[in-house]
Amino acid sequence: MVSLYGPDLEHVDFGWPYDYQNTMNKYVLIPLYKYFMEENPGLGVKIPRPSGY
Amino acid sequence: MNLIIKYFFVGILPLLLLSCYKDNTSIGNNQITELDISFPNITGAEINMEKNEPLTIDPVITQDGADKAMTYEWQVNYEVFSTDKKLVFPCSKLGKYFIRLKVSNEDGSAFKNFTLNVNSPYEEGLMVLGQNEQGDGSLAFMRKYSPAEIAAGKVESFVNNVFTLNNPGNKIGKNPTDIAKRLNQVFISSSGEGKIYYLNAKTFELEATISAADYPDFKPVAMNVPDAGFRTAVILCEGGKIYNLALLENLILSNAKYSQTVMMKTGFGYNLNDCFNYYWNPATSQMLQYSSYYTTNSLQAFQNQDLVDFFYDASAIYVITKSRTTPAVYTKTVFSQYIQNNSTKLLDIKEQAVLNVIGGDPDLNPSSPIVVNAAFKN
């Protein structure tokens, strides 16, 4: 995944990397959701609840 | 006059000087020993071997003159593999190899080559996952031979411990629980280790070891891995917990759709569009169905009933239950794959009948073997 898209996923130039959607869910979206919606809701960042969480 | 002098120096003088050279050379008269190479056990320019079946060649070298000291050089894909006379090639990797023997003596060299194909012995056959008395897992494989191969003397027999054979230094570990093939993947679960091993189906070489450090209760017992292109499978763990396995990403995820504890039994079936996973929730006496698009259950169909068994067959889920109030009454209920109608959410029962069980208890029980995998049935 890193070799395809770079360490910061900067080369994902399309909507959603379906081949890696579980990885994205587990390591990107769920931590994002936890951080912004559960631990720091005061920051005001809205993250939709990821599937599988 | 100048022209004559010029011709003299350029043309005639070199000839005059050359004529003064005394030639003492003679034609070679030493007998050259020519080499001839033959491989006794190889006929033709191409041979086929199976993985892990060592190829041994003891070449016969003849010299048509005096016996002279010889050196040997076995080349594999144009690189020196061995300088011994006898070749022992392990055939440990699948592939096509160009093999050449170079034999040299003081007079020159001779070459002989052939092509070696190292093929998979695991293309078709029977896998058996087992464990010894100490609980250590092992994998055995029996290759299926064609009638022509059997007529040629091949005998179908089990090769034991192919996991370690193809992955030196690695073991399945304690309490292996399930094995499943998906296209070019083979998955083996181990509840004792809390891991799933992903092997290449053609080589049985370990591609990945999947564990879930973030889920301490991940002790896989059964894997609903269809032999098709689905990317996610459902894993039943000890204690009746369900997890998802991302088949291409080697990742364990919690299953948010079914967080309740289920009975330690599962079955599954699939078609081109979806994979249907079935569980029994003893707390609610419900059949649960979990698939890509729908999560359904049997609502109140089995109130006051205990499960006897369930299995999937021919695009339907069969459920055998026993009445709690009248234990002698057994009921067979046949649902469609989704159990509920996806639009109306009503139960989609294709058939329901009270079974006439002769002599008390039927042979089936909740721990009956799973025989729902279509590939297994075939």
Side-chain angles (χ1 to χ4, degrees):
Chain A
M1 192 172 184
V2 169
S3 63
L4 273 177
Y5 304 120
D8 296 324
L9 305 178
E10 66 265 40
H11 304 310
V12 179
D13 52 2
F14 47 87
W16 179 250
Y18 284 100
D19 285 353
Y20 299 98
Q21 66 173 355
N22 292 299
T23 309
M24 288 288 285
N25 271 342
K26 182 164 183 173
Y27 294 117
V28 179
L29 297 188
I30 292 175
L32 271 180
Y33 181 85
K34 282 181 178 173
Y35 182 80
F36 284 111
M37 300 298 287
E38 293 179 351
E39 296 164 11
N40 299 287
L43 295 174
V45 178
K46 301 292 181 191
I47 304 284
R49 190 181 183 89
S51 68
Y53 180 65
Chain B
M1 186 62 185
N2 285 341
L3 196 61
I4 293 171
I5 293 170
K6 186 179 177 185
Y7 280 126
F8 176 78
F9 279 107
V10 173
I12 299 171
L13 185 61
L15 287 174
L16 292 174
L17 291 173
L18 198 64
S19 64
C20 298
Y21 176 74
K22 189 177 181 182
D23 185 4
N24 288 327
T25 59
S26 61
I27 298 172
N29 55 11
N30 290 335
Q31 184 68 39
I32 290 177
T33 301
E34 289 188 5
L35 296 160
D36 183 64
I37 307 171
S38 67
F39 300 143
N41 52 343
I42 294 179
T43 55
E46 193 166 290
I47 64 167
N48 293 292
M49 297 291 288
E50 291 180 0
K51 186 173 183 284
N52 295 326
E53 182 187 13
L55 170 66
T56 304
I57 299 176
D58 194 1
V60 176
I61 316 292
T62 52
Q63 301 187 81
D64 68 348
D67 280 346
K68 294 182 177 176
M70 292 183 287
T71 59
Y72 308 90
E73 187 177 291
W74 286 97
Q75 300 167 357
V76 176
N77 287 344
Y78 307 103
E79 291 185 357
V80 177
F81 176 77
S82 162
T83 53
D84 296 332
K85 184 190 175 199
K86 194 172 177 179
L87 172 72
V88 181
F89 188 67
C91 298
S92 54
K93 294 279 179 193
L94 300 189
K96 189 168 193 160
Y97 300 88
F98 178 77
I99 295 186
R100 183 168 80 159
L101 172 62
K102 175 185 176 184
V103 182
S104 305
N105 63 12
E106 64 181 44
D107 294 330
S109 300
F111 299 86
K112 192 169 179 66
N113 58 268
F114 62 93
T115 301
L116 166 67
N117 298 317
V118 178
N119 304 315
S120 168
Y122 310 122
E123 292 275 355
E124 189 176 6
L126 186 64
M127 295 185 293
V128 175
L129 184 66
Q131 68 179 52
N132 62 16
E133 290 172 350
Q134 287 74 42
D136 296 316
S138 68
L139 179 64
F141 187 85
M142 183 171 74
R143 182 182 169 175
K144 183 179 180 184
Y145 288 111
S146 66
E149 287 171 316
I150 291 172
K154 294 275 190 183
V155 179
E156 290 181 343
S157 63
F158 275 103
V159 177
N160 289 318
N161 218 4
V162 291
F163 185 91
T164 303
L165 179 68
N166 292 286
N167 303 284
N170 285 302
K171 292 190 293 187
I172 294 177
K174 297 285 182 189
N175 301 331
T177 46
D178 199 5
I179 185 167
K181 178 185 175 297
R182 174 193 177 271
L183 307 179
N184 198 27
Q185 298 173 298
V186 168
F187 294 93
I188 297 173
S189 61
S190 164
S191 65
E193 306 290 328
K195 290 176 181 170
I196 293 175
Y197 303 97
Y198 156 32
L199 311 179
N200 184 312
K202 289 198 185 301
T203 63
F204 281 161
E205 288 170 2
L206 190 62
E207 300 273 352
T209 301
I210 306 164
S211 57
D214 41 348
Y215 303 120
D217 53 356
F218 180 73
K219 307 283 184 194
V221 172
M223 300 183 291
N224 291 355
V225 177
D227 191 7
F230 298 99
R231 295 177 173 193
T232 308
V234 190
I235 309 296
L236 176 64
C237 291
E238 282 180 2
K241 289 214 69 176
I242 302 172
Y243 286 93
N244 282 349
L245 166 65
L247 295 162
L248 300 181
E249 299 161 75
N250 307 328
L251 202 63
I252 303 296
L253 300 103
S254 64
N255 188 316
K257 289 186 180 175
Y258 270 147
S259 54
Q260 63 261 57
T261 301
V262 296
M263 180 183 269
M264 293 294 289
K265 175 181 172 62
T266 182
F268 74 106
Y270 63 95
N271 58 25
L272 285 174
N273 301 315
D274 214 340
C275 181
F276 315 95
N277 302 275
Y278 301 99
Y279 302 92
W280 175 265
N281 185 341
T284 58
S285 289
Q286 283 180 325
M287 277 302 298
L288 309 175
Q289 183 280 136
Y290 174 74
S291 53
S292 303
Y293 307 112
Y294 299 101
T295 302
T296 56
N297 63 60
S298 59
L299 303 177
Q300 306 302 315
F302 300 119
Q303 261 196 328
N304 293 321
Q305 294 188 58
D306 287 328
L307 177 73
V308 176
D309 203 357
F310 65 85
F311 59 92
Y312 177 94
D313 190 34
S315 302
I317 175 75
Y318 292 71
V319 185
I320 314 294
T321 51
K322 183 169 69 172
S323 169
R324 281 182 194 146
T325 52
T326 318
V329 176
Y330 288 78
T331 306
K332 177 181 83 172
T333 310
V334 184
F335 295 96
S336 69
Q337 292 159 321
Y338 285 113
I339 296 181
Q340 289 175 269
N341 183 296
N342 294 326
S343 303
T344 64
K345 302 301 177 192
L346 296 173
L347 289 177
D348 195 358
I349 297 176
K350 300 165 99 175
E351 183 189 344
Q352 192 162 38
V354 174
L355 298 178
N356 184 17
V357 180
I358 300 169
D361 289 336
D363 290 338
L364 292 172
N365 61 67
S367 60
S368 293
I370 300 164
V371 289
V372 298
N373 187 321
F376 177 74
K377 283 172 61 183
N378 289 339

